[in-house]
Amino acid sequence: AVLCWREAARIVMERPPITYVLISQNRTGFLRDTCLIAVAALLRRRLVGHFRGGAFDVFYRGSGPILRWVVRRVLAGLSRLVFHAERLRPMFLPFVQSARVDVVYNGIDVAGFGKLAAGRSSRIQGELIQILFIGHLSRAKGYVDLLHALDAVDSDTKVRLIAVGERLDEERNIVVDGSGTSLRLSEVEDSIAALE
């Protein structure tokens, strides 16, 4: 709450022409975002929302009628909404006009990776493959997916995983599994423990 009020005060004092807000997909985070967006809207600043999750539709459907009304009002007031994958567009079209939605892909040029892989196709048998994972050691950040992938690697292949990140006391920002089924926190933590 303190951070929210501090940022709202900064908007009032500095009056930036554009306010950029990362859009959350949980109740507490979205209400915080709403506070900042409301202040900027009262000052008639342009509003750019940026969504980097993957289950906003699940958050919306699981919210009560008042929060769903707030979500619709807030998103309709954005000047632009940006997200990182084309597949996210359909979940926002009920709330934001298509002309105000943009996809900005993650800034990694992968063109060279194909050449790199082709040049390594004759990898020496027994060579160690090292993988570095940086981020929260959580399902939401893909850690569980990586552990599943490693479990599927041929037993003759030597793989070393270096995981750098904080093991969260509670899983954050994860509400569904890959098929869209709702998850309980205990299921997420149990799945990580079973794979490690």
Side-chain angles (χ1 to χ4, degrees):
V2 173
L3 179 62
C4 180
W5 289 114
R6 186 181 304 153
E7 293 304 313
R10 175 174 277 164
I11 293 169
V12 170
M13 291 185 301
E14 297 183 15
R15 296 182 184 256
I18 299 173
T19 298
Y20 171 89
V21 178
L22 291 170
I23 303 295
S24 300
Q25 62 182 6
N26 61 60
R27 183 177 180 264
T28 303
F30 193 84
L31 291 175
R32 179 202 57 227
D33 303 341
T34 298
C35 168
L36 299 177
I37 290 169
V39 170
L42 287 171
L43 296 172
R44 300 188 185 282
R45 307 288 99 175
R46 294 187 69 209
L47 295 160
V48 176
H50 189 166
F51 180 73
R52 295 194 54 82
F56 192 86
D57 53 343
V58 175
F59 155 64
Y60 178 78
R61 285 192 313 266
S63 299
I66 294 172
L67 184 53
R68 285 197 305 268
W69 179 84
V70 170
V71 167
R72 290 191 302 269
R73 294 279 298 179
V74 166
L75 294 181
L78 295 176
S79 304
R80 303 299 288 183
L81 177 62
V82 177
F83 38 79
H84 63 280
E86 186 62 41
R87 72 173 187 80
L88 300 175
R89 185 182 297 270
M91 78 174 68
F92 287 101
L93 289 182
F95 314 115
V96 183
Q97 294 174 358
S98 182
R100 292 188 286 126
V101 172
D102 292 299
V103 177
V104 178
Y105 297 101
N106 291 325
I108 299 174
D109 181 5
V110 296
F113 290 126
K115 295 175 190 171
L116 179 65
R120 302 277 294 166
S121 59
S122 59
R123 185 168 57 83
I124 298 170
Q125 186 74 312
E127 182 180 338
L128 176 67
I129 299 171
Q130 295 189 70
I131 300 171
L132 173 63
F133 176 92
I134 301 174
H136 287 133
L137 306 181
S138 70
R139 188 173 192 138
K141 293 295 182 183
Y143 184 61
V144 172
D145 295 330
L146 176 59
L147 294 175
H148 278 295
L150 289 176
D151 195 40
V153 171
D154 185 318
S155 61
D156 294 334
T157 304
K158 296 176 186 176
V159 179
R160 179 179 176 204
L161 170 64
I162 302 166
V164 179
E166 177 186 3
R167 179 68 186 266
L168 302 176
D169 292 335
E170 290 186 5
E171 184 74 23
R172 297 181 200 154
N173 297 323
I174 188 79
V175 290
V176 295
D177 66 11
S179 67
T181 304
S182 294
L183 291 171
R184 292 189 326 270
L185 175 61
S186 60
E187 292 173 333
V188 174
E189 291 172 340
D190 290 348
S191 68
I192 292 176
L195 289 165
E196 288 184 320

